[in-house]
Amino acid sequence: MVVVVIVVVVVVVVVVVVVVVGCFVLTPLLLWDCFCCCLNLLVFYLFILMFCICIGKIYGTIILPVVLYGCETWSLTLREERKLRVFENMVLGRIFRPRRDEVTREWRRLRNEELNALYSSPSIVRVIKSRRMRSAGHVARMGDERGAYRVLVGKPEGRRPMWRPRR
């Protein structure tokens, strides 16, 4: 949202500068053409920003809940965390699409840092860890008679038999 406000302010300032300078330098017809070009740029950038914001909201409200169903009980290994990050970057890369490089004018895929800056929400692994902590807090506040609380704070008694248990 802050990015949208900054872009709008910059474009409005550019339009005002063009109009003020144009009053002294340009003819009225050229001034109108410059004003229309600046207005078209403003509308174009606002459309792009609103599109990115809406797509980001779709990712957060539809895709993430499906992927994270039951994540409070997962025990993640580093390999699984990496796979989740790869999945998140792949989905965000598809959502935000390749961009044209300003210098070479060639299409390129966005890097992970650029995707994280565009989405600007916590990564999927951070969401899993925060949900796990929230779930553990709920369990810790449960009464002593609840099964989940006994599993969380209980200590097993006795010794575990060696080898494989017999049937």
Side-chain angles (χ1 to χ4, degrees):
M1 192 63 177
V2 175
V3 175
V4 174
V5 173
I6 291 171
V7 169
V8 169
V9 168
V10 168
V11 172
V12 168
V13 167
V14 168
V15 169
V16 169
V17 168
V18 166
V19 169
V20 170
V21 171
C23 289
F24 299 110
V25 177
L26 302 174
T27 64
L29 186 59
L30 287 175
L31 179 63
W32 179 251
D33 288 343
C34 288
F35 179 74
C36 288
C37 285
C38 291
L39 196 59
N40 286 341
L41 280 174
L42 174 67
V43 170
F44 175 73
Y45 282 119
L46 282 177
F47 175 75
I48 294 291
L49 287 172
M50 296 309 279
F51 178 75
C52 289
I53 290 170
C54 291
I55 293 298
K57 287 188 184 292
I58 290 172
Y59 173 72
T61 57
I62 296 175
I63 297 172
L64 270 184
V66 171
V67 172
L68 297 180
Y69 179 75
C71 69
E72 296 87 3
T73 59
W74 297 351
S75 58
L76 287 179
T77 62
L78 290 177
R79 174 182 283 169
E80 291 166 347
E81 285 183 13
R82 196 187 86 237
K83 286 182 180 181
L84 283 169
R85 278 194 216 99
V86 167
F87 168 77
E88 182 180 34
N89 289 331
M90 181 187 70
V91 170
L92 290 176
R94 291 266 175 105
I95 287 173
F96 291 114
R97 310 268 175 143
R99 299 283 164 91
R100 190 178 286 264
D101 196 331
E102 292 86 14
V103 178
T104 62
R105 304 299 295 164
E106 293 180 2
W107 291 96
R108 66 174 183 84
R109 294 175 66 188
L110 295 175
R111 300 179 191 274
N112 293 344
E113 299 85 24
E114 295 169 326
L115 291 173
N116 293 336
L118 282 174
Y119 183 56
S120 71
S121 286
S123 70
I124 194 167
V125 175
R126 182 164 291 183
V127 170
I128 290 173
K129 290 182 179 180
S130 68
R131 286 187 183 185
R132 202 181 306 153
M133 291 302 291
R134 183 175 34 176
S135 175
H138 290 305
V139 171
R141 289 188 295 274
M142 289 181 180
D144 293 341
E145 65 279 351
R146 303 282 297 268
Y149 180 81
R150 285 186 291 188
V151 168
L152 180 70
V153 298
K155 293 190 169 91
E157 296 176 4
R159 293 186 61 175
R160 189 171 162 259
M162 286 179 64
W163 311 108
R164 185 174 62 192
R166 295 184 184 194
R167 296 183 185 210

